[in-house]
Amino acid sequence: LAKTTQPISMDSYEGQEVNITCSHNNIATNDYITWYQQFPSQGPRFIIQGYKTKVTNEVASLFIPADRKSSTLSLPRVSLSDTAVYYCLVGGLSSNTGKLIFGQGTTLQVKP
Amino acid sequence: GAGVSQSPSNKVTEKGKDVELRCDPISGHTALYWYRQRLGQGLEFLIYFQGNSAPDKSGLPSDRFSAERTGESVSTLTIQRTQQEDSAVYLCASSLRPSAGSYEQYFGPGTRLTVT
């Protein structure tokens, strides 16, 4: 499974747009890119998934360049409740199991 | 509908004792996963079930760890002769059968295990 690299931490203020970039240089052809969010004392929660270009849902947008060696999670107008750890993962049929490999994640701190 | 549930929510045990952790997945989810999360760390994959078979046990840290699943429902993770390094939050997740583009796993709240 492709290894991912993302910043350890980020700070932002309420109302700002936050972009978290993840590097995955060894992504395989069949791999999808998935982001999870984890609040303290809770299990991770699925945010968004994509394969290429751009994906948008009610929570976030995911931008994936043509070479797919990186991806950017965009959170519009963050609030204090968006303070959490955000994990970038890649995986796909090559794994055969759906096993997720979580890195350290990015701890986002939203300030008032 | 009901999400993934785990029990107990907290477990304190003495070193050397056996513990059993339980996971009830979302109804209809054929795939079930166990992960371990140490304090301040990311999640560490332990084992994956498809139905009641475990095609991937590669993450089990030692032979003290075992897991089983009854049909496509409840799963138990057993840790024998617990050690202090086993202290962590044990998370269970379930999903539909993994396929291309579908890796939305639903996680339970976890069991916090403390070995004294």
Side-chain angles (χ1 to χ4, degrees):
Chain A
L1 296 177
K3 180 181 177 181
T4 60
T5 303
Q6 51 184 125
I8 296 294
S9 63
M10 293 182 69
D11 288 341
S12 183
Y13 291 92
E14 283 191 292
Q16 288 188 331
E17 177 183 81
V18 171
N19 296 308
I20 306 175
T21 296
C22 177
S23 297
H24 29 80
N25 291 320
N26 296 322
I27 189 169
T29 302
N30 290 335
D31 285 345
Y32 279 69
I33 300 156
T34 311
W35 286 79
Y36 280 78
Q37 174 192 56
Q38 187 177 27
F39 297 114
S41 301
Q42 294 186 24
R45 183 176 73 100
F46 173 92
I47 302 176
I48 197 166
Q49 183 181 74
Y51 184 80
K52 61 180 179 179
T53 64
K54 176 183 175 181
V55 178
T56 298
N57 62 21
E58 65 277 8
V59 176
S61 294
L62 179 59
F63 298 92
I64 305 168
D67 67 5
R68 305 199 328 120
K69 293 184 183 299
S70 67
S71 59
T72 299
L73 174 72
S74 181
L75 304 172
R77 298 179 298 282
V78 294
S79 64
L80 295 176
S81 63
D82 292 317
T83 293
V85 179
Y86 292 83
Y87 294 97
C88 162
L89 303 96
V90 296
L93 276 180
S94 58
S95 72
N96 294 321
T97 67
K99 174 172 66 178
L100 300 180
I101 304 297
F102 285 78
Q104 295 297 311
T106 298
T107 298
L108 172 65
Q109 180 70 50
V110 180
K111 302 175 182 178
Chain B
V4 177
S5 61
Q6 294 185 245
S7 61
S9 56
N10 281 284
K11 176 71 176 179
V12 180
T13 189
E14 292 180 353
K15 177 181 174 181
K17 300 283 189 182
D18 298 351
V19 295
E20 189 173 279
L21 312 180
R22 177 188 170 107
C23 172
D24 284 274
I26 292 173
S27 178
H29 279 187
T30 59
L32 185 146
Y33 310 77
W34 284 97
Y35 296 86
R36 177 170 69 179
Q37 186 171 34
R38 292 197 166 102
L39 187 63
Q41 303 294 312
L43 279 74
E44 176 187 359
F45 169 82
L46 298 179
I47 189 169
Y48 154 71
F49 285 93
Q50 179 57 46
N52 62 5
S53 67
D56 190 344
K57 303 180 182 178
S58 62
L60 292 177
S62 73
D63 57 8
R64 296 187 296 106
F65 287 72
S66 63
E68 55 184 38
R69 186 180 184 195
T70 305
E72 293 184 352
S73 63
V74 65
S75 174
T76 55
L77 176 69
T78 301
I79 309 173
Q80 296 178 310
R81 306 180 302 281
T82 52
Q83 303 294 312
Q84 288 185 330
E85 63 261 28
D86 299 333
S87 295
V89 175
Y90 289 82
L91 289 154
C92 174
S94 71
S95 75
L96 297 172
R97 186 186 182 94
S99 62
S102 176
Y103 286 93
E104 185 167 354
Q105 295 186 10
Y106 295 81
F107 284 81
T111 294
R112 181 175 299 278
L113 175 66
T114 303
V115 182
T116 60

